[in-house]
Amino acid sequence: FGKKKTIQSHPFPLVWISLKELLAIRPDSLSDKLFYRLIGVRHITPESVKLLSKLNYKQVLIGFESGDDAILKAAGKGIKAEQNIMAVELLAQYNIKMLVSWVLGLEGETEKSLKTTLAMAKQINQLGGVFYTNASILVPFPGSRAFEKLSEKTNKYAGKDVIDFAELRKDWVANFCKVDFDTIEDYQKEMLSTSLNSGMGHEIINS
């Protein structure tokens, strides 16, 4: 994208009529600005992607999380894995680049679900349009629903002001995953090593 500056706008969900209104009132002085935003898979439709393209969105961040339907359902994502593929194909049609994110170690994770997610990550990378892939292992940060669930299993972190997040993550996996931490970490490394990471490549303005 050369040295053009990118405006990072607020996360989805959006009311698509608002995008239509924004397109109608956008000043000519902003017509060449590049936009970047977080978008949920459920919001990626032919209509929404067309609007994003007209508004000059050139990059989006998508949280796919998992390629396994059972894991996505347990996480309350409200989508099926096949929608991840459809989202990538739609965005690629309009040359909108994607930074994609996966979360390993979600509740109920198994080696089978990890294999499914790895296979989908590779498939998505091959479809084109993905310029950066991130794969992380879930950390049940204090205040999150995951932390509350872990606290129901153990009082290890009760009343603590300082928490070792690496230990916290391993405790989550031990209690809520059906695969060991080392195996999850191996899949994380493979996902990152097979991705097409290339970095942002231009300046981002937070707004």
Side-chain angles (χ1 to χ4, degrees):
F1 304 117
K3 293 187 182 262
K4 285 189 176 181
K5 292 185 177 180
T6 295
I7 299 174
Q8 180 177 341
S9 48
H10 296 293
F12 273 70
L14 278 182
V15 178
W16 294 112
I17 187 64
S18 298
L19 282 182
K20 292 179 181 178
E21 293 171 347
L22 176 60
L23 181 62
I25 65 173
R26 180 185 61 186
D28 291 341
S29 60
L30 290 179
S31 62
D32 65 340
K33 301 300 181 184
L34 305 182
F35 287 82
Y36 166 81
R37 78 175 309 127
L38 167 67
I39 181 171
V41 172
R42 67 171 64 89
H43 300 294
I44 301 176
T45 65
E47 180 186 11
S48 67
V49 173
K50 187 175 182 179
L51 284 169
L52 289 174
S53 178
K54 287 183 177 180
L55 284 166
N56 222 23
Y57 279 84
K58 296 301 182 184
Q59 293 182 3
V60 293
L61 165 62
I62 311 176
F64 289 136
E65 321 308 7
S66 177
D68 184 271
D69 283 338
I71 298 300
L72 289 170
K73 183 177 180 180
K77 288 288 289 182
I79 61 168
K80 291 191 174 182
E82 63 183 15
Q83 291 174 257
N84 292 340
I85 301 295
M86 294 170 59
V88 172
E89 291 174 339
L90 276 173
L91 290 163
Q93 286 178 20
Y94 287 87
N95 198 32
I96 298 176
K97 303 300 181 184
M98 292 155 271
L99 185 159
V100 302
S101 176
W102 304 90
V103 178
L104 309 183
L106 291 168
E107 185 173 0
E109 192 84 87
T110 64
E111 186 160 7
K112 181 181 178 181
S113 66
L114 289 170
K115 287 180 179 178
T116 302
T117 297
L118 175 60
M120 177 165 284
K122 290 180 177 179
Q123 181 183 359
I124 283 175
N125 284 339
Q126 291 171 356
L127 289 174
V130 176
F131 74 95
Y132 191 94
T133 298
N134 182 62
S136 58
I137 300 175
L138 177 69
V139 180
F141 289 110
S144 68
R145 176 58 184 147
F147 184 80
E148 291 176 3
K149 295 186 77 169
L150 182 59
S151 297
E152 292 170 1
K153 290 271 189 177
T154 175
N155 60 2
K156 181 177 179 179
Y157 299 100
K160 282 193 174 182
D161 294 322
V162 179
I163 294 176
D164 183 333
F165 288 141
E167 183 179 2
L168 182 65
R169 183 170 57 178
K170 290 181 178 180
D171 284 341
W172 166 266
V173 168
N175 282 278
F176 292 96
C177 298
K178 300 174 183 178
V179 60
D180 61 80
F181 183 84
D182 288 343
T183 299
I184 295 176
E185 197 168 44
D186 287 342
Y187 275 89
Q188 178 195 30
K189 291 175 182 176
E190 187 170 358
M191 289 181 73
L192 293 174
S193 68
T194 57
S195 72
L196 303 179
N197 293 350
S198 61
M200 289 290 187
H202 62 283
E203 184 179 349
I204 291 179
I205 303 173
N206 292 307
S207 64

